[in-house]
Amino acid sequence: MKIDLADKYLSNLVAGDNQRQKAHLTFRGNTNRGRHGWLRLTPAYSLHVVNEILANTGPDELILDPFSGTATTTLASVTRGIKAHSVDVNPFLVWLGNLKLRNFSKTTADELLVEARRLRKAASGTGLSWTPNLHQIEKWWDEKTLASLADLFAGISNSEASEPVVDLLKIAFCKVMIATSNASFGHQSMSFKKTKAVRQPQPTLFAD
């Protein structure tokens, strides 16, 4: 990536009205943007930022992203036909980035739907098949939700579906795990939502 173009664009973002919220430039700008919106990373920048910087980059150039995060830059580059190479120290983000860049066969979507429905029926929430080693896990999920998540994860781990389908199910599981947690992501420093004494209806893990 041309350093001078990137520096100029990013400098223009912070110049002038610094108080005005620019949510479309953050991870929020990737919401409902296909693969870019699979999983959020709070400090991440949006596809909008990357596309602005890549506007003057040609297919004969190579994009290097040494701190690739959720691979927004790499995915945006290859979508434009530009070669890209990304690196990250976090093994989970490396896995996520590679999956976002993967080509899926036409049958993957149908197989994914069938397997998701099967797992939904199997996730009875009657036992703790798997529990993450998380300090004070009761702050994150109530007992019933944790039991359902445990059954769901066990089902994915033991699934006989193809590797691409299992990987996509893991992405869906991550999204469900985040959506059903008591974590509050209103700002960069994570906190927990105030829980009510009355048990609320549990969200559906997989919709038909």
Side-chain angles (χ1 to χ4, degrees):
M1 182 178 293
K2 298 179 180 178
I3 302 299
D4 55 339
L5 291 176
D7 285 344
K8 181 179 179 181
Y9 178 74
L10 295 175
S11 297
N12 289 336
L13 292 182
V14 300
D17 185 5
N18 291 325
Q19 301 302 317
R20 186 170 62 87
Q21 185 178 15
K22 299 181 176 68
H24 68 290
L25 305 177
T26 70
F27 69 91
R28 298 180 189 278
N30 289 342
T31 304
N32 300 323
R33 297 300 298 269
R35 300 186 188 202
H36 290 287
W38 276 1
L39 291 175
R40 57 173 280 169
L41 188 63
T42 301
Y45 45 78
S46 71
L47 177 62
H48 175 85
V49 173
V50 177
N51 282 336
E52 287 291 324
I53 297 174
L54 293 177
N56 297 314
T57 303
D60 57 332
E61 299 183 73
L62 173 65
I63 302 299
L64 173 63
D65 188 356
F67 311 100
S68 57
T70 59
T72 301
T73 299
T74 312
L75 182 55
S77 299
V78 298
T79 300
R80 288 170 168 261
I82 304 171
K83 294 181 180 179
H85 184 74
S86 57
V87 179
D88 201 280
V89 70
N90 187 321
F92 176 79
L93 293 178
V94 171
W95 171 80
L96 174 61
N98 286 330
L99 185 60
K100 288 170 72 173
L101 293 165
R102 187 169 186 167
N103 290 320
F104 298 98
S105 68
K106 294 181 179 180
T107 60
T108 299
D110 292 336
E111 186 185 354
L112 177 62
L113 183 58
V114 170
E115 187 65 3
R117 286 174 172 168
R118 185 191 70 78
L119 289 172
R120 180 193 175 190
K121 293 179 180 179
S124 60
T126 56
L128 294 178
S129 306
W130 166 83
T131 304
N133 184 20
L134 190 62
H135 179 62
Q136 294 184 330
I137 195 170
E138 66 278 1
K139 285 187 175 182
W140 293 80
W141 299 278
D142 61 47
E143 184 177 354
K144 184 177 179 181
T145 301
L146 184 59
S148 295
L149 289 171
D151 284 351
L152 184 59
F153 184 80
I156 294 173
S157 300
N158 297 322
S159 174
E160 297 181 356
S162 63
E163 181 183 348
V165 168
V166 172
D167 282 341
L168 290 172
L169 286 170
K170 289 177 180 178
I171 293 292
F173 176 78
C174 289
K175 293 179 73 70
V176 170
M177 213 172 34
I178 294 170
T180 57
S181 76
N182 295 321
S184 176
F185 297 99
H187 43 77
Q188 289 189 352
S189 57
M190 196 204 72
S191 60
F192 289 98
K193 303 171 185 175
K194 293 182 179 180
T195 56
K196 297 181 180 180
V198 179
R199 183 184 295 274
Q200 299 298 315
Q202 299 301 308
T204 301
L205 296 182
F206 283 110
D208 285 326

